[in-house]
Amino acid sequence: MISERVMDAATITSWMREIDVAVRAEKDHLVQLDAAIGDGDHGTNMVRGFEAVVQALDADGGSPPGKLLILAGRTLVSTVGGASGPLWGSALRSGGRVLGDQSSFEGAELVEVLAAALASVKDLGTAAVGDKTMVDALEPAVDALRTRLGQGASLDEALDAAGAAGESGMRSTIPLQARKGRASYLGERSVGHQDPGATSTALILRALQRAARAT
Amino acid sequence: MISERVMDAATITSWMREIDVAVRAEKDHLVQLDAAIGDGDHGTNMVRGFEAVVQALDADGGSPPGKLLILAGRTLVSTVGGASGPLWGSALRSGGRVLGDQSSFEGAELVEVLAAALASVKDLGTAAVGDKTMVDALEPAVDALRTRLGQGASLDEALDAAGAAGESGMRSTIPLQARKGRASYLGERSVGHQDPGATSTALILRALQRAARAT
Amino acid sequence: MAVETNQMRKFLNDPARVVKESLAGLAAAHPDLVRYDAAAQIIVRKDAPRRGKVALISGGGSGHEPLHGGFVGHGMLDAACPGEVFTSPVPAQMLAATKAVDGGAGVVHIVKNYTGDVLNFKLAAGDAADEGIKVTSIVIDDDVAVQDSLYTAGRRGVGATVLAEKIAGAAAEGGADLAKVTDTVRQVNERSRSFGVALSSCVPPASGKPIFELPEGQIELGIGIHGEPGRKRAQLASASDIVDVMVEAVVSDLKPKKGAKVLAFVNGMGGTPLLELYLLYAEVDKKLRAAGVEPVRNLVGSYITSLEMAGASLTVLELDEDLTRFWDSPVHTPALRWGV
Amino acid sequence: MAVETNQMRKFLNDPARVVKESLAGLAAAHPDLVRYDAAAQIIVRKDAPRRGKVALISGGGSGHEPLHGGFVGHGMLDAACPGEVFTSPVPAQMLAATKAVDGGAGVVHIVKNYTGDVLNFKLAAGDAADEGIKVTSIVIDDDVAVQDSLYTAGRRGVGATVLAEKIAGAAAEGGADLAKVTDTVRQVNERSRSFGVALSSCVPPASGKPIFELPEGQIELGIGIHGEPGRKRAQLASASDIVDVMVEAVVSDLKPKKGAKVLAFVNGMGGTPLLELYLLYAEVDKKLRAAGVEPVRNLVGSYITSLEMAGASLTVLELDEDLTRFWDSPVHTPALRWGV
Ligand SMILES: Nc1ncnc2c1ncn2[C@@H]1O[C@H](COP(=O)(O)OP(=O)(O)O)[C@@H](O)[C@H]1O
Ligand SMILES: Nc1ncnc2c1ncn2[C@@H]1O[C@H](COP(=O)(O)OP(=O)(O)O)[C@@H](O)[C@H]1O
Ligand SMILES: [Mg+2]
Ligand SMILES: [Mg+2]
Ligand SMILES: [Mg+2]
Ligand SMILES: [Mg+2]
């Protein structure tokens, strides 16, 4: 099966680098989205966090991929603050724990990593699909990845489907009225705006696709 | 001599009314001039003061013109505040004292009234012509009134000359650097702006011409 | 002498260092009261930890000054954890603060109800428990502009935070135990309601742009403290009409006892002059009395702010004897001081 | 609920009544400290007149709050005469205040050096003398931005006013006689220098328009406290560079003794958040030390303001033992309180 491409520590490092580049490029956009229905710091938060993650991974001397994810998550928790810091931080830590000490992993395990990350976000933030949060992008992406891999798609195809699902989940937040996070304070005024956290989540998913392809 | 027209209490009342109308009409302009080189309240100050003067005179039961001027001056002192309140207030009080209890007065006495007013402003404010203050309008106006009456002009002609001299004195403040009042804090930045106090003084002089003509 | 970075009507050197440099200034101005642990980015009471005293810490995004750093000192907080502007701090700060102030009697975390603050404090409380420190957490959620907690993140924590820090701080200073101090925070929160309005937004240093644009002659009703838009926008009305809205919102939700003695807190958002805050207080005092409660204590000033936002909030706390006594107890912090 | 008059981002009912309504609010919030005589438009210390105590009064245009009404109380002013916004009060107010506070030991008039204030206080002092009250007047002129008194109305009175009211107020509270209290005001003035900068103008309620427009990225150097433009406009620089300018202006004029102990007062103009004021204080503290003086006391906050102007001023007072002791003495006013 062509989906049996092997990923390893380099994949994780490259994923984090790709996120760093992507959120930096989209920083102003994320700030703007957050200014409309939040407090205008989401872009700055993500950039600060993933800059620190890249630095932390650079300083690491050869840990396995799971440990790198845990390190990335811990770094997010200790540098981001806000809602997104503990959410993504716990998500990556939970994802990393799935991999234990193994030095490489395959598509099916990646599904478990992302599923654990999603579970952690939902557990900590108590948000469900439709609440206008990052969950609206993450959950359909995990589902799409699992489904396409199950259908025998290649890892790249499956990650492309996950990326597309994340983006469509992101867009699906526009008409929603927020029920979690700061945007919920706006009540009906949150309708018509795209959720910043769902937007950065879509970026994170596309970054994963690029990282896996480069492996 | 045609300048021997007689003025009385009604002239003073009408003068104050004319000032009230004029500063009200020019209030925004005076505020604007004061905002440029002062603190933006000169229009409001003059309107507040002369509104109160008109009210006070309305309530007065037949005092002679000198007493009306003193009442007007006292009212300015007690309602205007700022620099212009005590200056114009003392000016009118000093002018009024010249007339004592007499029930009417003529051109020559009007010169003495205005000269006393000018002296009071200069004494209290220690400003001279060229310092970019109301003195730049008032002093040439008093001089012109005295000169023209001395040359045998009619009261109206002489007051017209005084009004014109006040206006040209007012314009003469534009290129000056202020040496008194708030505008002096600006140093060279005060150059190029017309002094608000000189501007209201020009209005006060034209109001006098209208009041005397109506008598 | 122009610098590229400074085009936004703000006194700063580097937008990324605003919080750190300001905290250093706070400590330099008040060395008798607080110290600044720059590595941990926390403000700690000079004489912490105090053996046997229950400690109080709070924290949240910066930009709300004097909250929280300005409330560290005798009779109020033992430490504050300031995050970046409008961004909640990270668990490491809270853990460091907790450890720095723990005198063996336990530590109370006063948490404003924002998802970020709540999540980060939750992680920190877990870490502190792992280190064997007794921690209790109380979430402050007094803002009646956010109505329904089923469909929202719940009410925001605003003005009641200041009152809780003062009142529970006095309880702790007076020797109350962890349960009592915790309960005092909870009581202040339960007996307080707030409502805020804004006449402008504000400019976070990191973005350099106003969070939203409010045309003159308009008012945002039901704002929080992050420069964000409120529940709705309306025509700007007279101070009297605005206070009607605020008092009605607060009183109808608080439902104080008839004749209740209350503390009325008129808070400025940072860009509203004291001239206007006292004018608002005149209206508040009158209208609270008309609503059947008696303002026996008050606080008027800018104590929980949104940078330079023009706006104000009203917080009403229904007092009882204990809360009044704790309010009146001595306090000595950079921003609030009496009795010492 | 819109009103025609209120289109200017301000909480008010009627622009013509802003001052009166705000003073009523001040008195409603602090009935233990002050009373408001609405007819005379003055704020009077609750327990005035105090037999045998020298009384201090000050006054000036409104819009500088908490100055002066917020400084009436124990250990500071006995009365304040607030004029309309940015317009000096009238002699009748000053006379009423003087009579209300005279306890037989004389009354000191603290006058900020503005033509209007000086002229009106001069007339009032004459009136008071006519009524047999001993009055002394000291004109405060600490603003070094206005250089030459031969070609100007002389230096403006700014930050030193707050310090003079506090310090001389303590002297009077301690029983000093009229000559000593007067001399204390004079000393504070002579030993103080100030310099202010602005990042925006402000909007007086009567006109509803900003006094001037300052584009972003520009700074006015050498401003007073009336929202007016300063001596010159420059590119906005870093806080460090701005404080260099302020410290240099103040220190080069004050010429303090090498190693002098000073009080450093970083004052906000009303629209500058405390976050930035403390950041400025960090720079001020550092640069004063580098200039060879030691800030042993400080005051950081918005105490003499220009409505909602964004800006700040630095005042440095060279202390001696007496002045330090008077500064430290108890004070209890709406805006400044310690030791009680
Ligand atoms: N309870 C929650 N569960 C999941 N995601 C959430 C929750 N609350 C907020 N978020 C996400 O966090 C994003 C905001 O992140 P950020 O701006 O960094 O933090 P903050 O809201 O504290 O300023 C939102 O757009 C939303 O996607
Ligand atoms: N020392 C002075 N002598 C004469 N006129 C003066 C003096 N100082 C100020 N003025 C006049 O007063 C005017 C300003 O008046 P106004 O704005 O009402 O008072 P303020 O300056 O106190 O706000 C100036 O334009 C000037 O003409
Ligand atoms: Mg945000
Ligand atoms: Mg003026
Ligand atoms: Mg945030
Ligand atoms: Mg004025």
Side-chain angles (χ1 to χ4, degrees):
Chain A
M1 264 169 73
I2 44 169
S3 70
E4 291 305 303
R5 181 128 53 113
V6 165
M7 291 168 286
D8 57 13
T11 314
I12 301 302
T13 308
S14 147
W15 183 20
M16 295 302 128
R17 277 186 207 288
E18 291 284 354
I19 298 175
D20 179 40
V21 170
V23 294
R24 202 182 296 269
E26 291 296 307
K27 179 180 162 191
D28 288 351
H29 182 220
L30 295 173
V31 161
Q32 234 173 285
L33 292 174
D34 196 32
I37 55 171
D39 59 353
D41 62 355
H42 188 59
T44 329
N45 291 348
M46 296 303 277
V47 167
R48 186 174 58 248
F50 283 96
E51 198 172 298
V53 165
V54 167
Q55 261 174 35
L57 296 198
D58 279 351
D60 180 84
S63 300
K67 292 285 179 266
L68 288 184
L69 276 176
I70 290 173
L71 174 58
R74 264 215 320 263
T75 306
L76 289 180
V77 167
S78 69
T79 56
V80 175
S84 49
L87 288 170
W88 267 112
S90 306
L92 296 189
R93 285 198 292 189
S94 303
R97 286 194 201 105
V98 168
L99 296 178
D101 279 330
Q102 60 193 75
S103 62
S104 67
F105 59 103
E106 297 177 352
E109 288 161 312
L110 180 60
V111 172
E112 293 322 305
V113 166
L114 291 181
L118 171 64
S120 168
V121 167
K122 293 176 76 168
D123 177 50
L124 201 57
T126 68
V129 165
D131 287 350
K132 195 174 185 122
T133 70
M134 53 175 72
V135 171
D136 290 318
L138 191 54
E139 180 152 321
V142 177
D143 288 346
L145 184 68
R146 182 184 287 112
T147 306
R148 297 293 286 125
L149 287 176
Q151 293 168 341
S154 74
L155 180 63
D156 188 48
E157 280 167 2
L159 278 173
D160 186 47
E167 282 160 358
S168 107
M170 163 189 96
R171 281 188 300 271
S172 79
T173 62
I174 299 178
L176 295 175
Q177 174 167 338
R179 285 193 284 219
K180 291 287 169 191
R182 277 177 203 292
S184 70
Y185 304 140
L186 287 174
E188 292 174 3
R189 288 179 84 180
S190 67
V191 170
H193 298 275
Q194 185 168 304
D195 179 60
T199 308
S200 59
T201 300
L203 296 175
I204 290 172
L205 292 163
R206 283 297 182 194
L208 175 58
Q209 184 188 2
R210 284 194 297 279
R213 198 189 286 146
T215 305
Chain B
M1 265 167 73
I2 45 170
S3 72
E4 291 305 301
R5 183 130 50 116
V6 164
M7 292 169 284
D8 57 12
T11 314
I12 300 302
T13 307
S14 145
W15 184 19
M16 297 300 128
R17 278 187 207 288
E18 290 284 354
I19 299 175
D20 180 40
V21 171
V23 294
R24 204 183 295 269
E26 291 296 307
K27 179 180 162 190
D28 288 351
H29 182 219
L30 295 172
V31 161
Q32 236 173 284
L33 292 173
D34 197 32
I37 55 172
D39 59 352
D41 62 355
H42 188 59
T44 329
N45 290 348
M46 295 304 276
V47 167
R48 185 173 60 247
F50 284 96
E51 197 172 299
V53 166
V54 167
Q55 262 173 34
L57 295 199
D58 279 351
D60 179 83
S63 300
K67 293 286 180 265
L68 289 183
L69 277 175
I70 291 174
L71 175 58
R74 267 215 318 265
T75 306
L76 289 181
V77 167
S78 69
T79 55
V80 175
S84 49
L87 288 170
W88 267 113
S90 307
L92 296 189
R93 284 197 293 188
S94 303
R97 286 195 201 106
V98 167
L99 295 179
D101 280 330
Q102 59 193 77
S103 64
S104 68
F105 59 102
E106 297 177 353
E109 288 161 311
L110 181 60
V111 172
E112 294 321 307
V113 167
L114 291 181
L118 172 64
S120 168
V121 168
K122 293 175 76 169
D123 177 51
L124 201 57
T126 68
V129 165
D131 287 350
K132 197 175 184 123
T133 71
M134 54 175 71
V135 172
D136 289 320
L138 191 53
E139 181 153 322
V142 177
D143 288 347
L145 184 68
R146 183 185 288 113
T147 306
R148 295 292 288 124
L149 286 177
Q151 292 167 346
S154 74
L155 180 62
D156 189 45
E157 280 166 3
L159 280 172
D160 186 46
E167 282 161 0
S168 106
M170 163 190 98
R171 282 188 300 271
S172 78
T173 62
I174 298 178
L176 295 174
Q177 174 167 337
R179 284 193 285 217
K180 292 287 169 189
R182 275 176 205 293
S184 70
Y185 304 140
L186 287 174
E188 292 174 2
R189 288 180 83 181
S190 66
V191 169
H193 297 275
Q194 185 169 304
D195 180 60
T199 308
S200 58
T201 300
L203 296 175
I204 290 172
L205 292 162
R206 284 294 182 196
L208 175 58
Q209 185 188 1
R210 285 193 297 280
R213 197 189 285 147
T215 306
Chain C
M1 66 183 206
V3 290
E4 212 52 68
T5 48
N6 196 354
Q7 297 287 318
M8 52 174 122
R9 296 190 199 286
K10 288 189 187 294
F11 296 111
L12 49 78
N13 295 307
D14 170 358
R17 294 191 47 80
V18 168
V19 171
K20 289 180 203 338
E21 292 183 6
S22 181
L23 295 174
L26 178 72
H30 303 284
D32 51 326
L33 298 176
V34 303
R35 60 188 148 88
Y36 172 42
D37 177 341
Q41 195 165 314
I42 56 177
I43 294 288
V44 182
R45 184 171 160 170
K46 182 69 182 301
D47 56 359
R50 289 174 69 88
R51 196 98 295 277
K53 179 183 144 336
V54 172
L56 285 96
I57 75 170
S58 190
S62 292
H64 310 302
E65 290 66 28
L67 189 88
H68 298 275
F71 297 138
V72 175
H74 177 89
M76 215 161 162
L77 293 180
D78 293 271
C81 319
E84 291 310 304
V85 171
F86 294 164
T87 300
S88 83
V90 298
Q93 290 172 271
M94 299 152 181
L95 180 63
T98 304
K99 287 160 77 171
V101 303
D102 179 39
V107 181
V108 180
H109 287 187
I110 301 180
V111 185
K112 300 195 295 305
N113 190 32
Y114 299 96
T115 307
D117 290 26
V118 170
L119 295 183
N120 284 287
F121 264 108
K122 187 172 166 185
L123 297 181
D127 294 344
D130 289 350
E131 305 220 9
I133 303 176
K134 281 172 286 178
V135 167
T136 61
S137 302
I138 298 290
V139 173
I140 305 288
D141 59 348
D142 54 315
D143 183 356
V144 299
V146 179
Q147 291 293 358
D148 187 351
S149 70
L150 252 183
Y151 296 105
T152 66
R155 289 176 163 177
R156 293 174 287 221
V158 288
T161 317
V162 178
L163 309 183
E165 291 176 2
K166 165 68 187 85
I167 290 170
E173 203 71 51
D177 66 12
L178 183 61
K180 169 72 178 163
V181 176
T182 308
D183 189 58
T184 305
V185 177
R186 185 181 294 116
Q187 262 192 65
V188 172
N189 184 51
E190 280 170 6
R191 301 166 74 104
S192 295
R193 298 293 187 281
S194 299
F195 189 88
V197 301
L199 308 184
S200 81
S201 184
C202 60
V203 177
S207 76
K209 293 188 200 83
I211 296 181
F212 66 94
E213 293 285 353
L214 185 61
E216 299 231 354
Q218 305 260 297
I219 182 170
E220 288 279 343
L221 298 170
I223 54 143
I225 51 169
H226 296 83
E228 72 274 51
R231 292 290 293 199
K232 67 178 187 191
R233 188 173 285 192
Q235 284 294 102
L236 179 51
S238 68
S240 168
D241 287 348
I242 293 168
V243 172
D244 275 339
V245 171
M246 295 170 104
V247 166
E248 155 65 20
V250 163
V251 169
S252 69
D253 200 287
L254 180 63
K255 298 189 182 64
K257 278 197 308 287
K258 180 100 195 107
K261 295 188 191 319
V262 301
L263 186 160
F265 171 24
V266 171
N267 174 61
M269 290 293 158
T272 287
L274 212 43
L275 182 78
E276 293 171 45
L277 294 182
Y278 275 117
L279 190 151
L280 288 176
Y281 184 76
E283 298 288 346
V284 164
D285 188 87
K286 202 160 42 187
K287 288 169 202 282
L288 282 178
R289 287 176 201 281
V293 300
E294 190 191 351
V296 295
R297 295 290 184 279
N298 66 74
L299 183 66
V300 181
S302 295
Y303 292 103
I304 172 169
T305 61
S306 293
L307 295 171
E308 70 284 346
M309 178 180 253
S313 62
L314 169 66
T315 301
V316 175
L317 162 63
E318 185 169 356
L319 291 164
D320 63 15
E321 250 178 58
D322 269 7
L323 298 181
T324 309
R325 186 164 44 82
F326 288 143
W327 177 256
D328 290 343
S329 299
V331 61
H332 187 180
T333 68
L336 220 54
R337 180 172 181 183
W338 55 75
V340 265
Chain D
M1 65 182 206
V3 290
E4 212 51 68
T5 48
N6 196 354
Q7 296 288 317
M8 51 173 126
R9 297 191 197 286
K10 289 190 186 294
F11 295 111
L12 49 77
N13 294 308
D14 171 358
R17 294 191 46 80
V18 167
V19 171
K20 289 181 204 335
E21 292 183 7
S22 181
L23 295 174
L26 179 71
H30 304 284
D32 51 327
L33 299 175
V34 303
R35 59 189 149 86
Y36 171 42
D37 177 342
Q41 193 165 315
I42 56 178
I43 294 287
V44 182
R45 185 171 158 169
K46 181 69 182 300
D47 56 359
R50 290 173 69 87
R51 199 83 313 266
K53 179 184 145 334
V54 172
L56 285 96
I57 75 169
S58 191
S62 291
H64 309 302
E65 290 66 29
L67 188 88
H68 297 273
F71 298 137
V72 175
H74 176 88
M76 215 162 164
L77 294 179
D78 294 271
C81 319
E84 292 309 305
V85 171
F86 294 164
T87 300
S88 81
V90 298
Q93 289 171 272
M94 298 152 182
L95 180 63
T98 303
K99 288 160 75 171
V101 303
D102 178 39
V107 181
V108 181
H109 288 186
I110 300 180
V111 185
K112 298 195 297 305
N113 190 33
Y114 300 97
T115 307
D117 290 26
V118 170
L119 296 183
N120 284 288
F121 264 107
K122 187 173 167 183
L123 297 180
D127 294 345
D130 290 350
E131 305 220 11
I133 304 177
K134 280 172 286 178
V135 167
T136 61
S137 301
I138 298 291
V139 173
I140 305 287
D141 58 348
D142 55 315
D143 184 356
V144 299
V146 179
Q147 291 292 357
D148 188 350
S149 70
L150 253 183
Y151 297 107
T152 65
R155 289 175 163 178
R156 293 173 287 219
V158 287
T161 317
V162 178
L163 309 184
E165 292 175 2
K166 166 66 188 86
I167 290 171
E173 202 72 51
D177 66 12
L178 183 60
K180 169 72 177 164
V181 176
T182 308
D183 189 58
T184 305
V185 177
R186 185 181 297 117
Q187 263 193 64
V188 172
N189 185 50
E190 280 171 7
R191 301 166 72 104
S192 295
R193 299 293 187 282
S194 299
F195 189 88
V197 301
L199 308 184
S200 81
S201 184
C202 60
V203 178
S207 77
K209 294 189 200 83
I211 295 181
F212 66 95
E213 293 285 354
L214 185 61
E216 298 229 355
Q218 304 261 296
I219 182 170
E220 289 279 343
L221 298 170
I223 54 142
I225 51 170
H226 296 84
E228 73 275 51
R231 293 288 293 198
K232 66 177 190 190
R233 189 173 284 191
Q235 284 293 103
L236 180 50
S238 68
S240 167
D241 287 348
I242 292 168
V243 172
D244 275 338
V245 171
M246 296 169 104
V247 166
E248 154 66 19
V250 163
V251 170
S252 69
D253 200 287
L254 179 63
K255 300 188 181 62
K257 278 196 308 289
K258 180 99 195 109
K261 295 190 191 318
V262 301
L263 186 160
F265 172 23
V266 171
N267 175 61
M269 290 292 157
T272 287
L274 211 44
L275 182 77
E276 292 171 45
L277 294 182
Y278 276 118
L279 189 152
L280 288 177
Y281 184 76
E283 299 287 346
V284 164
D285 187 87
K286 203 161 42 187
K287 288 169 202 281
L288 282 178
R289 288 177 200 280
V293 301
E294 191 192 350
V296 295
R297 295 290 184 280
N298 66 75
L299 184 66
V300 181
S302 295
Y303 291 104
I304 171 168
T305 62
S306 293
L307 295 171
E308 70 284 348
M309 178 181 254
S313 62
L314 169 65
T315 301
V316 175
L317 162 64
E318 185 169 356
L319 290 165
D320 64 14
E321 248 177 57
D322 270 8
L323 298 181
T324 309
R325 187 165 42 83
F326 289 143
W327 177 257
D328 291 343
S329 300
V331 60
H332 188 181
T333 67
L336 220 52
R337 180 172 181 183
W338 54 75
V340 265

